[in-house]
Amino acid sequence: EAELYLGGGLFCSGLHLLSTMRAFVRRAGPIAFNNSVLSTSRLAQAPRCFSSAKANPRAKFETSVGSFEAELYLDKMPITASNFIALANQGYYDGIHFHRVIPGFMAQFGCPNAKDPNSRRAGTGGPEPRTKFTNLATGEEIARNSGGCIPDELIAKISNEPGTLSMANTGQKDTGGSQFFINVAHNDFLDWFNRSTPSKHPVFGKVDVGYDVVVKITKVKTRNDNPAEPIVMQKITVTGVPE
């Protein structure tokens, strides 16, 4: 089986054995959470309002084990970054726990079901269906699909390097919603433009302050990749959003 269903989330069966993780992920794609589909004809439109000369927005992540900050790539990934900013500004992420952490790989976060750190459904949730947000680069209103997902924004060739924020999905087209992961290794096999694997996980930001906190999160004691001692996101604050 390419995937193994554990504790409410889709996980790759090789991920518990780090020595075989990379080879397995090349087949299956590691980051997953629901099964909805969306198409769009406007995905590749060039930004009309946000100038790349302006500084990108920034996010501060305050967790129970420390804080870190990231640049959000609104200039290169306007739909994905705008989706994250909208959710953060709504307080959507506050009180959610990291539900999957793997040393030398990544830390995954953003499932609303993980407000309960022991939920067996952690890894399967996302935004409410048909909710809307504004593309902050163009002013266009974007509607999430019936599963709360946004279109895959496969336009910027940004690799899954250490510290990057990357969208979680099921491995199927247009299945990203609120969940994302933070890389702690150069996981280039997850790049959407790496044709050697089926994985397509677009990057939309990068941690540039407090990266050591992210690494610490990935190294905690776990049970089935879930932190044994829950790690909660207390608050995400976004600054520098264009008006």
Side-chain angles (χ1 to χ4, degrees):
E1 297 255 345
E3 293 176 329
L4 180 65
Y5 196 81
L6 290 174
L10 283 169
F11 295 81
C12 289
S13 61
L15 287 180
H16 295 286
L17 298 175
L18 295 181
S19 62
T20 61
M21 177 181 68
R22 186 181 180 92
F24 184 88
V25 171
R26 286 184 180 278
R27 296 204 320 273
I31 314 298
F33 78 123
N34 67 23
N35 298 294
S36 303
V37 177
L38 177 66
S39 62
T40 179
S41 61
R42 299 184 176 183
L43 182 58
Q45 282 188 332
R48 297 189 297 271
C49 302
F50 182 77
S51 169
S52 59
K54 297 179 181 179
N56 274 320
R58 296 186 59 78
K60 181 176 182 180
F61 301 77
E62 299 175 62
T63 82
S64 54
V65 296
S67 299
F68 56 92
E69 299 179 19
E71 178 186 1
L72 303 175
Y73 296 151
L74 182 60
D75 57 342
K76 300 180 182 70
M77 298 289 289
I79 294 177
T80 311
S82 294
N83 172 65
F84 170 83
I85 291 169
L87 293 171
N89 286 344
Q90 294 166 13
Y92 179 94
Y93 292 116
D94 301 351
I96 291 178
H97 296 81
F98 283 85
H99 69 272
R100 184 174 178 228
V101 301
I102 301 175
F105 186 24
M106 60 89 218
Q108 188 172 346
F109 170 79
C111 175
N113 297 325
K115 285 194 172 181
D116 173 1
N118 299 310
S119 174
R120 295 182 60 83
R121 297 177 61 226
T124 66
E128 290 296 317
R130 309 297 184 187
T131 48
K132 299 177 180 179
F133 64 96
T134 300
N135 181 333
L136 297 171
T138 67
E140 179 185 14
E141 186 176 75
I142 306 291
R144 300 181 180 95
N145 69 356
S146 59
C149 298
I150 65 172
D152 292 334
E153 197 168 25
L154 308 181
I155 57 175
K157 292 184 177 181
I158 310 170
S159 190
N160 280 266
E161 296 179 346
T164 51
L165 281 60
S166 191
M167 286 299 288
N169 57 52
T170 68
Q172 300 299 311
K173 178 179 169 57
D174 301 328
T175 54
S178 60
Q179 293 187 53
F180 61 95
F181 57 98
I182 308 171
N183 291 291
V184 294
H186 190 185
N187 297 314
D188 58 347
F189 56 94
L190 302 182
D191 294 343
W192 66 267
F193 49 90
N194 185 337
R195 297 184 181 277
S196 68
T197 76
S199 298
K200 297 182 184 297
H201 298 281
V203 169
F204 66 96
K206 187 173 184 178
V207 174
D208 55 13
V209 175
Y211 175 67
D212 59 311
V213 174
V214 180
V215 173
K216 180 171 67 173
I217 289 171
T218 66
K219 292 182 176 181
V220 300
K221 184 178 179 180
T222 62
R223 291 189 296 266
N224 294 327
D225 295 335
N226 185 42
E229 183 173 336
I231 301 173
V232 66
M233 185 67 65
Q234 296 166 336
K235 187 173 182 60
I236 297 180
T237 304
V238 178
T239 57
V241 176
E243 298 181 359

